[in-house]
Amino acid sequence: MPSGRRLSNLTRTRCVYTGEPYQFALKELRKPGNPRPVPDDASPQALLESQVLSKLGDGGAWSAHPLGIAHVRVRSDEPIVVHLDSHVELAQGDNYPMAFHALDHLLPYAEPGVQVNGVPGLRIAAIRGNSLHLTLVNTNSRLILRGIPGTSWNEFLDERWKSLDADGYPPLWKSPRLTTHERDDADSCRLVRQTELDMQWLGSGLLRRVALFHTSSSAYSTRSWITDDEWIFELDTRSDVRLDHDTLLSRLAAPGWGLPLRLSSHHCTCDDPPLPDSQYIRQCTYHLVNSQGLPCGMQIRFRSGPAMYTDDSGREKLLRLGANTGWLDRVLPEDNNNSDEETGR
């Protein structure tokens, strides 16, 4: 067992990766036989985790934490627990409980003759208080979505089912087996489903380290999507905040802690001449691939420019959604220009 000081340092580092409470991380690190400080898992568990991260990260929503995930709890012998933020605000200003927003993106339903939306094969294994247990059909995979206290999963599920049924989109998540819609979708979207399988090592690994986008980035907004064989993350930093991409990159690939990633190419604009217009956006792009030869990789776009997707800095919006003020002071510091002018400073 590590010495007291070393164990304390390891615990704090794990919290940077997972966002877990210190005492929980400490308890996990004290367990004998843990091969890695942040344990990973294999398919089909990895596929389930990867699919959940993919769907939660897709879109331009505002939330207190990147991708609407407050933190995760990772155990070596129990399902991963994904703690959701309270609410999410969409680009058009609509405000929803994050738990309902998650179901909207995750639960499988059919567009007859077109495709299956959500996660094909996703099923509900149990509901226990504010915890929704998810699995993939015909597997022993398990992931727990934990809403805030008082979350009514049954109410949200019933509302979602009735809404889809009324619109003519068959809900699929109550079937004990793969539905005809899901089997047809797998046959017609073979390349997409294969990419999802190829991506699972990356998505699962990132979900288990999702707090890095909060603790190790200067971005106030984080989005992600998958194109071809790359999982793309777009991180926006306000132009008056120092753009820091080295911290996130180094921790993502840190030996023993991060993922098996290596830099394959990059284009950094940090040392370029100043932009001629304050409304322009500067972008540094990094491409990372699996260092062990597995398929698919990751692209991170570090963007710097004026605050986007809002008519103000976004600070007030994120405060309303419950964002931590210490984090906001780092990524969206208050603009004192107006107060300076009013007081003559």
Side-chain angles (χ1 to χ4, degrees), residues 132-151:
L132 182 74
H133 294 237
L134 300 175
T135 187
L136 293 176
V137 68
N138 298 327
T139 75
N140 60 357
S141 60
R142 184 67 67 96
L143 179 147
I144 299 172
L145 283 185
R146 184 158 294 167
I148 62 170
T151 296

Side-chain angles (χ1 to χ4, degrees), residues 13-327:
T13 301
R14 174 163 162 147
C15 293
V16 167
Y17 279 78
T18 64
E20 296 163 331
Y22 181 91
Q23 290 301 323
F24 178 90
L26 177 63
K27 181 180 177 180
E28 289 303 304
L29 288 172
R30 278 178 168 162
K31 288 182 178 179
N34 278 349
R36 288 171 58 85
V38 181
D40 289 300
D41 216 316
S43 185
Q45 180 65 33
L47 178 61
L48 173 60
E49 295 176 13
S50 181
Q51 290 282 65
V52 167
L53 182 67
S54 171
K55 299 304 181 185
L56 293 184
D58 187 18
W62 288 80
S63 52
H65 295 83
L67 314 182
I69 299 174
H71 66 273
V72 295
R73 295 196 181 192
V74 184
R75 296 178 172 92
S76 58
D77 53 355
E78 294 182 33
I80 182 174
V81 182
V82 178
H83 287 249
L84 299 175
D85 279 334
S86 170
H87 284 73
V88 63
E89 187 168 317
L90 306 185
Q92 60 267 38
D94 297 328
N95 191 295
Y96 293 98
M98 183 59 200
F100 186 86
H101 183 71
L103 295 183
D104 189 26
H105 284 72
L106 291 171
L107 296 175
Y109 65 93
E111 287 187 74
V114 182
Q115 64 182 1
V116 170
N117 294 294
V119 180
L122 187 71
R123 300 295 186 263
I124 296 169
I127 300 176
R128 295 171 183 157
N130 61 331
S131 295
L132 182 74
H133 294 237
L134 300 175
T135 187
L136 293 176
V137 68
N138 298 327
T139 75
N140 60 357
S141 60
R142 184 67 67 96
L143 179 147
I144 299 172
L145 283 185
R146 184 158 294 167
I148 62 170
T151 296
S152 178
W153 289 109
N154 282 312
E155 180 181 332
F156 291 156
L157 288 165
D158 186 58
E159 182 179 346
R160 184 64 178 148
W161 184 281
K162 289 178 179 178
S163 175
L164 290 169
D165 191 50
D167 291 338
Y169 298 139
L172 307 176
W173 63 86
K174 291 184 180 180
S175 173
R177 293 175 292 276
L178 281 178
T179 63
T180 301
H181 294 294
E182 289 165 315
R183 291 195 298 270
D184 291 345
D185 180 83
D187 289 337
S188 62
C189 302
R190 291 181 183 273
L191 291 178
V192 173
R193 301 302 167 224
Q194 184 59 50
T195 298
E196 291 170 350
L197 288 170
D198 292 341
M199 285 278 187
Q200 62 183 315
W201 67 269
L202 179 58
S204 174
L206 290 174
L207 180 62
R208 289 168 177 248
R209 297 161 178 81
V210 72
L212 287 178
F213 293 105
H214 186 265
T215 63
S216 308
S217 163
S218 57
Y220 65 89
S221 174
T222 301
R223 298 169 301 285
S224 81
W225 65 93
I226 294 172
T227 300
D228 296 327
D229 63 348
E230 272 195 322
W231 200 319
I232 301 173
F233 282 80
E234 195 168 73
L235 283 64
D236 288 328
T237 296
R238 208 170 68 185
S239 54
D240 60 343
V241 174
R242 187 179 74 85
L243 177 61
D244 177 14
H245 40 56
D246 292 345
T247 299
L248 178 60
L249 290 168
S250 63
R251 287 176 175 167
L252 275 173
W257 286 99
L259 294 170
L261 292 166
R262 66 172 178 83
L263 184 66
S264 62
S265 65
H266 75 284
H267 176 69
C268 180
T269 63
C270 290
D271 294 329
D272 287 0
L275 295 172
D277 191 314
S278 62
Q279 297 303 304
Y280 289 175
I281 296 172
R282 187 189 300 278
Q283 177 172 304
C284 302
T285 306
Y286 287 77
H287 298 266
L288 300 104
V289 297
N290 188 284
S291 59
Q292 300 169 355
L294 292 178
C296 299
M298 182 179 186
Q299 179 189 145
I300 310 181
R301 301 174 180 175
F302 298 94
R303 309 201 314 171
S304 177
M308 289 160 280
Y309 311 111
T310 179
D311 56 0
D312 57 22
S313 71
R315 182 183 174 94
E316 291 74 21
K317 186 191 300 287
L318 289 170
L319 277 172
R320 291 195 301 270
L321 291 169
N324 177 271
T325 54
W327 174 70

